[in-house]
Amino acid sequence: MPSPARKRVLITFARSFLTLDIARLMAAGGHSVTVVDSIGLPVSRFSNSVDAFLRVPAPTFAPREYCRELARIVRERSIDMVIPVHEETDIIAQMRAEFPDSCELFLSDFETENNLHNKYEFQRVLAEMGIPTLKFAQVRSMEELRALDFTTPFALKECYSRGSQKVRKLNPGEIPDDIEFSPTNPYIAQEWFKGTQFCTYSVCRDGKVLAHTVYPVWYAIDGKSCIAFEAIDHPQITAWVEDFIARVGFTGQVGFDFIVGDDGELFTIECNPRGTSGIMMFEPHHRVDRAFFGDTEEVITPDLGSKKMIGFGMGLYGWKKSSLQGNTLRGFLRDFRDIDDVITNRRDPLPAVMMPIAYIDIARMCFKYKVGLAEAFMHDHEWDGIPITR
């Protein structure tokens, strides 16, 4: 199939390694790349795959101003496609009327995005479709929490949350008193299920999966947020994703978290209707840009068995016992030496060199918002369900 014509692409959240990878993949396909962020020194700014970096308002704290500035950049630079990477996806979906019709926003309508992003709504959608789910319930108050009829341990997490942050494992009859409730961001209680965990990443258009990968939860921050990845083949999970995406008619990037029991029973824990780490499994020769633009008739997949790691994250967390069951220092050092880092690239060396500089703004946000490093990384690009009024 012929290559798509050269496009002008705008990618958000330039501090993210996902954005850096998408920029490199788009540039490899011959496209012009503009990246934006609310901080001044995001790592993608230093990539030779990027034609321009522009600073914009923080979407979490100034959503209308953020979208209007994006729309201005789209018009000024004749952008063909906006690819949102993190939770600014939901914000842009609410403000899509601000953007010219000549530019495609690579996302679905807001209702679809929100139903997948909100952890309770996602489980409700699955149940309405007749797709098996773990037992779940929405919790808005301490009274509702104490009244749950769970008889086995369950997870409690906010309906709008990310990176497995603040997930608590609770036992029936042992409810702590220190849980705070938000009127706009309730909790979901979800049956605790033992099994093998997997994640997916897919690029979809109009209900069709055009690029896809599955990877097991391997090295991960406290066993939750992956920092090392291996592309595998899992037909059961792939079939589930293709069926669900077709039924929803989804367009955009999406990732799912799965757990598979010892008997092969499959459950989907949550959905991330945005970019996820799986994009980093793809190489330039895969031409994943064709999936974004709908110029492929086959599902594009990475090479099975290929391994990648976020070297910075592995250095900070990968050596810890909590990052991998049975972790040893010898095993960690072996894997750290053998796995390719997603940042380091001979054809694009400057982002790796400038990593310490790029993290100055992130460190500053730790102090500004009084949060940890992982939380600060995403803090001003999160969306917790508060509607945006135009």
Side-chain angles (χ1 to χ4, degrees):
M1 176 171 289
S3 300
R6 176 181 169 88
K7 302 284 189 179
R8 294 179 180 269
V9 179
L10 185 151
I11 312 172
T12 65
F13 204 41
R15 74 190 72 171
S16 173
F17 308 137
L18 281 64
T19 299
L20 174 62
D21 212 66
I22 297 172
R24 286 169 169 171
L25 295 171
M26 286 291 171
H31 309 292
S32 173
V33 177
T34 298
V35 297
V36 299
D37 205 303
S38 60
I39 61 175
L41 297 170
V43 66
S44 299
R45 175 177 187 167
F46 305 106
S47 172
N48 60 26
S49 296
V50 170
D51 295 295
F53 162 73
L54 296 167
R55 193 166 182 177
V56 294
T60 298
F61 306 119
R64 290 178 293 277
E65 294 82 354
Y66 172 77
C67 289
R68 287 165 183 159
E69 180 62 11
L70 288 190
R72 186 194 66 79
I73 295 169
V74 164
R75 293 185 177 94
E76 184 177 272
R77 300 187 63 83
S78 300
I79 299 295
D80 297 300
M81 175 181 283
V82 173
I83 302 176
V85 170
H86 194 46
E87 292 179 13
E88 65 276 6
T89 303
D90 299 83
I91 293 170
I92 295 171
Q94 293 178 76
M95 298 285 289
R96 65 188 310 149
E98 297 287 335
F99 293 83
D101 294 339
S102 59
C103 175
E104 178 180 6
L105 305 181
F106 195 66
L107 45 73
S108 291
D109 62 88
F110 172 69
E111 182 180 3
T112 299
E113 293 283 348
N114 187 53
N115 281 342
L116 302 186
H117 174 34
N118 182 302
K119 292 174 171 49
Y120 171 78
E121 292 298 327
F122 174 56
Q123 296 297 321
R124 181 189 59 78
V125 168
L126 295 181
E128 288 183 353
M129 288 182 172
I131 298 174
T133 68
L134 297 172
K135 184 176 181 179
F136 69 98
Q138 189 174 69
V139 183
R140 296 183 176 275
S141 66
M142 185 61 73
E143 290 73 21
E144 289 185 359
L145 180 58
R146 289 175 175 150
L148 290 175
D149 62 350
F150 283 74
T151 57
T152 58
F154 59 92
L156 187 72
K157 53 191 173 183
E158 292 176 316
C159 290
Y160 294 103
S161 57
R162 67 289 305 169
S164 299
Q165 295 175 8
K166 302 177 182 178
V167 177
R168 304 178 69 155
K169 182 180 181 181
L170 301 181
N171 295 307
E174 300 177 7
I175 305 302
D177 296 323
D178 61 345
I179 298 176
E180 298 180 357
F181 290 85
S182 164
T184 58
N185 190 8
Y187 288 88
I188 178 175
Q190 195 169 27
E191 175 187 353
W192 197 276
F193 184 77
K194 291 183 178 180
T196 305
Q197 298 179 54
F198 299 89
C199 299
T200 68
Y201 168 80
S202 305
V203 179
C204 313
R205 289 187 69 97
D206 301 322
K208 293 183 178 180
V209 175
L210 299 181
H212 177 72
T213 186
V214 182
Y215 51 100
V217 174
W218 189 18
Y219 284 96
I221 300 173
D222 294 328
K224 299 172 183 176
S225 185
C226 291
I227 49 178
F229 320 91
E230 179 180 6
I232 67 166
D233 182 34
H234 199 300
Q236 183 186 13
I237 288 178
T238 297
W240 190 104
V241 172
E242 291 179 337
D243 175 67
F244 181 78
I245 292 300
R247 293 165 74 172
V248 175
F250 185 78
T251 292
Q253 302 177 86
V254 66
F256 296 93
D257 293 346
F258 290 89
I259 189 163
V260 181
D262 294 337
D263 59 357
E265 195 170 15
L266 176 73
F267 295 103
T268 314
I269 304 301
E270 60 184 56
C271 173
N272 297 300
R274 53 188 177 272
T276 72
S277 299
I279 184 62
M280 296 185 289
M281 301 303 299
F282 293 87
E283 298 287 353
H285 69 268
H286 294 129
R287 291 297 311 279
V288 75
D289 60 296
R290 294 176 297 144
F292 282 89
F293 295 114
D295 289 305
T296 178
E297 296 178 358
E298 299 178 349
V299 179
I300 301 169
T301 59
D303 302 326
L304 295 181
S306 61
K307 299 178 181 179
K308 295 288 185 67
M309 69 174 179
I310 301 174
F312 184 78
M314 280 284 279
L316 285 178
Y317 303 102
W319 52 273
K320 296 182 178 182
K321 293 284 187 182
S322 61
S323 72
L324 180 68
Q325 186 174 6
N327 198 13
T328 65
L329 183 59
R330 176 179 294 181
F332 163 74
L333 291 174
R334 179 197 63 228
D335 290 335
F336 191 80
R337 179 194 65 217
D338 294 342
I339 303 173
D340 291 336
D341 177 29
V342 297
I343 310 301
T344 305
N345 188 303
R346 292 195 308 272
R347 297 181 296 273
D348 188 22
L350 200 54
V353 173
M354 297 301 289
M355 274 289 293
I357 302 299
Y359 263 78
I360 289 176
D361 275 345
I362 307 300
R364 179 181 57 81
M365 291 172 69
C366 291
F367 292 100
K368 180 178 180 180
Y369 299 116
K370 296 180 174 59
V371 295
L373 184 64
E375 292 86 353
F377 191 84
M378 303 179 285
H379 191 71
D380 64 349
H381 278 64
E382 296 173 355
W383 188 73
D384 288 342
I386 300 174
I388 300 168
T389 55
R390 295 185 60 199

